[in-house]
Amino acid sequence: MISLVAVLAGERHSDRPTTACPVLTAFAIRINDAIDCDSRQDLKPIAACIMGTNDGRERERAWVLIREAVNDVFARIMEDAGAPGNVVADLPRLPLEIDYSFDITALPNNLCAVGRAYGVSRGLPFDIRYLLRALIRGSNARVASAAANLMLDSARSNDMATAQNPYWTKAIDMFSRLCAIGDAERAPVPVHEERLMADLNRGRVADAGHPILFWLFPSLRKEPKTA
């Protein structure tokens, strides 16, 4: 999906397009690489929304990811593990907005301890620990990768099909939330349809993506010649 963002923006074929926020790029790469081909097609319409997000709001997007991972995803994990409602309600949570005065240092151990107490799969507390340590160290891209890992590992531990899996739904929803940050101030990035058409003709964009691309950009479709 990220390489499609580069093509749409008229950049060289790359998985690190300059038009995309590094946090969104790291999150998208991890999600894209971990899912099956059919589910991957659901991500293609998001590519156009990622264009122009390299606007200096990496920390804000990283905070939204980690807040949702801790406050919502981990709470759902605890519910799935059978934790009582009062335990879930009393879980430590991050503030809605970035708050550098919030003491996050004890949070990894606290969340991991309560997860182990209710038999949460060992890998999920590890994901939470890595996620929070990435935030403490100020690595926004690692926060994004770790948040994706948590959502993907949670989805794998759930027997529900992809379309009904709440963790997969959460991961897809996060793209919209992250792209919406700064959207009002962001100048639109034009789609380079001529470049995209050339890449389609050269086969550089996967055949499976053609129907979605033609739906997104009808002008790419070649009209039949009339006599």
Side-chain angles (χ1 to χ4, degrees), residues 21-125:
C21 171
V23 167
L24 263 163
T25 296
F27 187 72
I29 287 174
R30 186 67 190 92
I31 297 292
N32 186 81
D33 289 350
I35 59 176
D36 59 81
C37 292
D38 290 338
S39 300
R40 191 173 293 131
Q41 304 312 310
D42 296 338
L43 300 178
K44 290 188 180 294
I46 300 170
C49 300
I50 296 177
M51 293 168 56
T53 56
N54 193 6
D55 51 11
R57 294 177 180 262
E58 293 95 326
R59 192 61 170 174
E60 189 175 349
R61 292 189 178 94
W63 185 270
V64 170
L65 271 174
I66 198 167
R67 183 195 71 203
E68 293 301 305
V70 171
N71 295 5
D72 184 46
V73 176
F74 190 75
R76 190 185 296 270
I77 290 170
M78 291 297 297
E79 289 176 354
D80 288 348
N86 64 307
V87 171
V88 175
D90 290 340
L91 288 171
R93 284 173 166 79
L94 292 172
L96 293 181
E97 304 297 332
I98 296 176
D99 183 357
Y100 293 109
S101 66
F102 182 82
D103 184 9
I104 201 173
T105 54
L107 203 53
N109 289 336
N110 291 342
L111 290 176
C112 288
V114 71
R116 287 194 300 269
Y118 286 92
V120 169
S121 175
R122 183 178 179 181
L124 300 180

